[in-house]
Amino acid sequence: MSEAEKGHPLRRGWTTGACATAAARAAFEALVSGAPPPDPVEIALP
């Protein structure tokens, strides 16, 4: 049973996973392009 089904509101905010994904994407783009890391970085969220 999900949190929403239990009557608890869903949490909001940045998770550790979202932050790690954004950092990895910025590092990858910097390594591939040779340019400084992009700021901001966009990631897909469910």
Side-chain angles (χ1 to χ4, degrees), residues 7-28:
H8 298 271
L10 297 177
R11 295 184 195 184
R12 297 178 53 109
W14 299 106
T15 63
T16 303
C19 292
T21 300
R25 181 169 179 165
F28 175 78

